[in-house]
Amino acid sequence: MFLIFLSTCFFVKANAAENPEWLKKYQEHEQFGHVYVVKTIERSSGSYASFLVDKNGNKLTPAYRDIGKFSNGLAEFVTFENHQGALGMHGYINKNGTIIIPPIYRGAGEFKDGITYVIYPKGKQFGLTYLDSLGKEIYKIPVELFPNDFLIGKCKAAYVAYHDCQEDFMWDVNGNLTTLNWNFGRYTEIDIKKAKEPFRFYYHGKFGIVDKNLILRVPVALDDIDLIYKHSGRGLARVKYGNKFGYVSSKTGEIVIPFLYDDTQKPSLGRYWVKKGNKWGCINKKGEVVIPFLYDYAGRFMDENRASVSLNGKFGHIDTTGKITTPIIYQSASYFKHGVAMIQLNDKYAYIDTTGKVITKTWFSEAEPFREDMVVTEKYGIFYDMSPDGTFQFKGFSSAWRATLIMFLLIVLAYFPVKFISRTNRSKAERK
């Protein structure tokens, strides 16, 4: 009985120390080390206020509309609406009640690994920026590149009763709710942190990109990402927004080249052929135009740093600086391989070298670009094996020639027996 009495006294004393008498005047409280976040709530009027207090109940802050959970030594707080009716703004305080990050944001989140996000108006949209524990900007999402999304006028703010620090901003996209600030499950976070490249994820028809630090590099607004690198390479991945294309960094996930282009090609030799205003031009990895938007068609840069281009229905070649190396006068012009390319003029084919000089002594009725060390050409139904040096040798006859030869032989074979029989019959008649 004595032991039970001692245990009861110890429990009461401990409980009194853990929940001091002064806490009873607050409707909610939560302890964070030597400080408490407390809240008064007048449910009849719907008014509420939050304070940070020390272990003796002394207030360390003025009344705020809400104070969130402490994480990394800081807690989000929300000011009251001002006398003009402006909405309360969000900032961060430390455990002494000192404002570390001023309340200038429309929304915010808890710190995690020394990083948090804040939401703020940016023109007609809401923007999102990541901050460190000193309020220094780490990364700002470029929402201005997505002008049809994250509009303030279409935002739906979701609140938890009496807890403004737990609000969220949502948008309806094709019947599904999306947000700027994404939180991932524990197992998904593990996959994100293990990924060698920024993590691409899909949500109801839209794509987003997040890095291994769980910083959202591209909001969930992309209509397509070239996941198999069919149109990407050289450190950039092609992405699509609406009907326009741009590029993100394969290393960081950030948008490097905005959504400006109607079409693109797989890069080659450090050049990215992109289409704008029905014309093709070239940009580099920084998005700088290195070949003007002049061409109706453009092929990839291949061997000899040359690409086939078309202008006003005629074809030729340019190098990676944009210099014309083959006059743009041909019906067609293939890529270069083994230092030569096929050209077509007046419905005939020949081959040229990198200077534009025709290296074949004759023009052919049929030909093909070099893929291997030898290609087959045709003239008057006769096939030739063509070498990259412009020499060629007889290969065989076309099917038309063979059919003609067979028909000739059949006629010959039919003619001589008939002639022989006719002559024999005539000799017999003469003997009679």
Side-chain angles (χ1 to χ4, degrees), residues 261-321:
Y261 306 111
D262 304 312
D263 201 358
T264 71
Q265 295 186 32
K266 190 173 181 66
S268 55
L269 301 182
R271 296 291 185 263
Y272 295 75
W273 278 111
V274 290
K275 191 176 185 180
K276 186 177 182 180
N278 293 322
K279 295 291 183 179
W280 288 91
C282 262
I283 58 175
N284 59 20
K285 291 179 67 172
K286 298 179 180 180
E288 300 166 335
V289 177
V290 292
I291 296 176
F293 292 87
L294 299 172
Y295 301 105
D296 304 316
Y297 162 83
R300 292 179 61 201
F301 284 98
M302 304 284 282
D303 288 2
E304 311 298 340
N305 296 346
R306 301 292 197 273
S308 172
V309 294
S310 171
L311 185 61
N312 299 324
K314 300 296 183 180
F315 288 79
H317 295 97
I318 62 172
D319 64 17
T320 51
T321 68

Side-chain angles (χ1 to χ4, degrees), residues 27-48:
Q27 282 66 50
E28 290 185 11
H29 73 272
E30 190 167 0
Q31 186 176 4
F32 299 95
H34 62 278
V35 296
Y36 294 79
V37 172
V38 296
K39 188 182 294 287
T40 61
I41 301 174
E42 292 292 338
R43 300 186 190 278
S44 59
S45 64
S47 62
Y48 51 98

Side-chain angles (χ1 to χ4, degrees), residues 224-269:
D224 188 45
I225 300 179
D226 182 18
L227 297 173
I228 60 174
Y229 283 79
K230 182 179 180 181
H231 305 279
S232 309
R234 306 282 175 173
L236 297 182
R238 191 182 81 166
V239 290
K240 184 180 182 182
Y241 179 67
N243 59 354
K244 298 292 184 180
F245 295 96
Y247 291 89
V248 299
S249 167
S250 299
K251 184 177 181 180
T252 67
E254 297 177 36
I255 296 174
V256 177
I257 300 172
F259 307 100
L260 300 172
Y261 306 111
D262 304 312
D263 201 358
T264 71
Q265 295 186 32
K266 190 173 181 66
S268 55
L269 301 182

Side-chain angles (χ1 to χ4, degrees), residues 27 31 39 59 63 69 96 119 145 186 190 214 232 252 303 318 320 332 342 377 385-386 390 405 418 426 430:
Q27 282 66 50
Q31 186 176 4
K39 188 182 294 287
K59 293 177 181 177
K69 296 178 181 295
N96 296 323
I119 294 176
L145 298 180
R186 183 161 61 93
I190 293 173
L214 303 179
S232 309
T252 67
D303 288 2
I318 62 172
T320 51
S332 66
M342 184 193 74
T377 58
D385 280 332
M386 172 68 65
L405 182 60
V418 170
R426 190 167 56 249
E430 289 176 354

Side-chain angles (χ1 to χ4, degrees), residues 39 48-52 61-67 77-80 93 97 99:
K39 188 182 294 287
Y48 51 98
S50 298
F51 304 87
L52 182 67
T61 65
Y64 293 127
R65 191 169 184 85
D66 194 20
I67 300 175
F77 74 98
V78 185
T79 62
F80 284 98
I93 57 174
I99 296 175

Side-chain angles (χ1 to χ4, degrees), residues 335-381:
Y335 54 83
F336 272 87
K337 184 73 174 178
H338 301 306
V340 297
M342 184 193 74
I343 54 170
Q344 182 185 15
L345 186 64
N346 298 325
D347 296 326
K348 300 293 183 181
Y349 299 88
Y351 294 86
I352 59 172
D353 61 19
T354 55
T355 67
K357 178 183 176 182
V358 178
I359 62 171
T360 46
K361 296 180 180 180
T362 186
W363 289 72
F364 302 94
S365 55
E366 296 291 341
E368 59 184 14
F370 275 91
R371 292 183 180 86
E372 306 297 335
D373 295 336
M374 195 83 70
V375 295
V376 177
T377 58
E378 179 187 349
K379 185 177 183 181
Y380 303 134

